[in-house]
Amino acid sequence: MSQKEINQENSMEMDSQSMIKSAVNSSPPEKIHLRPMTLSDIDDFMVWATDSNVTRFCTWEPYTSRESAIAFINDVVLPHPWLRAICLDNDRPIGSISVTPVDKIRGEIGYVIGSKYWGKGIATEAVRLVAEEIFKEKPEMERLEALVDVDNVGSQKVLEKVGFVKEGVMRNFMYLKGNIRDMVMFSLLPSDSLH
Amino acid sequence: MEMDSHETQPIMTSSPQGRISLRPMTLSDVDDYMVWATDPKVARFCSWETCKSRDEGIKYITDSVLTHPWLRAICLEDDRPIGYILIMPVDKIRKEIGYVLARKYWGKGFATEAVRLVTAEIFKEFPEIERLEALVDVENVGSQRVLEKVGFTREGVMRRFYFMKGSVRDMIMFSFLPSDPLK
């Protein structure tokens, strides 16, 4: 890891304040932290990347070979401007979260979690962690947005719980695996208060 | 989506009112172009700054207007342009509409007619297009009304969406689908 990545990793460590915020869940939240992903995460990556339940609303199909997954990590993950593994206490990833620049002032957040870990508030915590840090890290960013399939209610709830604003439904916005989809647009501004 | 040379593009005549027609712009339109391009009230919600000289106008028409993949002069009966309307590709299935009108002709329904004309034809011309969208500054109420009158759907306010002339603007997203009814 570069020094920059180490610094980013340290800044993404979850602190006790974040734990208190997520206490509204009915069950104790899983403790997670964010760190850069590496090639050594390949086997954990395969767990969620081969799962068609996970990829249902992703533009990509489930991975079927370790080689293609390695290529993805080399070609997309490692050069990505901002992508983090979502890790449990044992530092093993159970998903990933990323912020991709749309233009000079807009970034788009995306996240994916292994289905075994759904329903535990993990995505919500990961998004909250990013929302708390990203505007300090990228002061030129005026807007963090997210586009969610109209049928992906779980992911819409994640964003609403963190405090993203639902701006509207963009009709016929993009193709997902051969079908044209309506997408819900969410945004978070540096001035918005997090839930 | 590169278009054919403008000589082979159809001239669109107007909707039932017959007040306006659309045609490609040419360099000989420069003086009419200068009327709106030099007007700060017209430029207010546009990404461009007002034109400062006829030479600058000629250069802009040559470099940006004549080369545009889809741009049409909005003309009155005398075939002189009072503005223009354009379509920009966003991606393979989405296009964005934009239009500008000289201030003297505001408030008379000309922009509405032009948008209606284009919207009625554009999906035939580009059958792969699933969505025609428009982004309008929150303060540009006149332009919002144009789209509503034609039958565009107002989808929502995109906050801090667009950086223009030194400030970040909230923009309203409108869309029109091939299946939507024209008003």
Side-chain angles (χ1 to χ4, degrees), chain A residues 126-195:
Chain A
V127 170
R128 189 179 288 121
L129 278 175
V130 172
E132 283 165 358
E133 296 304 320
I134 199 70
F135 297 114
K136 297 172 209 166
E137 231 179 278
K138 294 177 184 287
E140 72 286 359
M141 191 179 294
E142 302 273 356
R143 169 187 172 92
L144 181 63
E145 62 189 38
L147 277 162
V148 188
D149 194 286
V150 280
D151 286 348
N152 192 351
V153 178
S155 191
Q156 293 167 37
K157 288 216 183 88
V158 165
L159 297 163
E160 282 160 359
K161 279 198 279 178
V162 174
F164 278 67
V165 172
K166 175 174 165 160
E167 291 175 334
V169 176
M170 317 278 102
R171 305 175 306 149
N172 277 18
F173 201 71
M174 58 182 269
Y175 266 94
L176 183 76
K177 293 164 173 159
N179 298 306
I180 188 97
R181 305 297 302 165
D182 294 349
M183 306 288 283
V184 187
M185 174 74 91
F186 288 85
S187 73
L188 189 75
L189 307 185
S191 52
D192 287 343
S193 36
L194 292 177
H195 292 155

Side-chain angles (χ1 to χ4, degrees), chain A residues 9-60:
Chain A
E9 179 192 78
N10 290 342
S11 72
M12 296 311 315
E13 286 293 318
M14 216 168 87
D15 59 20
S16 57
Q17 287 303 308
S18 309
M19 286 295 301
I20 292 164
K21 272 182 217 157
S22 46
V24 290
N25 289 345
S26 52
S27 50
E30 299 264 359
K31 185 167 180 192
I32 59 148
H33 61 275
L34 306 181
R35 61 151 174 85
M37 252 176 85
T38 70
L39 266 171
S40 54
D41 292 321
I42 182 77
D43 293 313
D44 290 322
F45 171 79
M46 290 292 281
V47 171
W48 75 79
T50 56
D51 183 346
S52 56
N53 290 318
V54 169
T55 65
R56 179 179 167 204
F57 294 113
C58 298
T59 50
W60 41 277

Side-chain angles (χ1 to χ4, degrees), chain B residues 23 48 58 70 82-83 85 88 106 126 146 155 165 173:
Chain B
R23 60 155 174 82
W48 39 268
I58 288 169
W70 205 105
I82 57 164
I85 186 164
M88 293 162 285
W106 288 8
F126 299 106
V146 166
E155 291 174 336
K165 291 171 176 165
M173 176 72 90

Side-chain angles (χ1 to χ4, degrees), chain A residues 103 105-106 142-143 145 164-165 167-175 180 182 185 187-189 192, chain B residues 91 93-94 130-131 133 152-153 155-163 168 173 175-178 180:
Chain A
D103 61 25
I105 60 167
R106 290 160 58 198
E142 302 273 356
R143 169 187 172 92
E145 62 189 38
F164 278 67
V165 172
E167 291 175 334
V169 176
M170 317 278 102
R171 305 175 306 149
N172 277 18
F173 201 71
M174 58 182 269
Y175 266 94
I180 188 97
D182 294 349
M185 174 74 91
S187 73
L188 189 75
L189 307 185
D192 287 343
Chain B
D91 62 25
I93 61 165
R94 291 160 57 198
E130 305 276 0
R131 171 187 172 89
E133 59 189 41
F152 277 67
T153 298
E155 291 174 336
V157 178
M158 315 280 103
R159 306 176 306 152
R160 314 288 282 172
F161 200 71
Y162 189 63
F163 187 72
V168 184
M173 176 72 90
S175 72
F176 196 97
L177 308 186
D180 285 345

Side-chain angles (χ1 to χ4, degrees), chain B residues 90-143:
Chain B
V90 177
D91 62 25
K92 287 188 179 147
I93 61 165
R94 291 160 57 198
K95 288 199 189 288
E96 182 180 343
I97 191 166
Y99 41 92
V100 65
L101 214 56
R103 192 154 42 109
K104 178 175 161 185
Y105 300 99
W106 288 8
K108 301 174 194 298
F110 289 123
T112 306
E113 271 186 59
V115 171
R116 190 181 287 118
L117 247 187
V118 171
T119 307
E121 299 300 321
I122 205 71
F123 298 107
K124 298 171 207 167
E125 195 171 331
F126 299 106
E128 73 285 3
I129 296 308
E130 305 276 0
R131 171 187 172 89
L132 181 63
E133 59 189 41
L135 276 162
V136 188
D137 195 286
V138 281
E139 290 181 22
N140 192 352
V141 179
S143 191

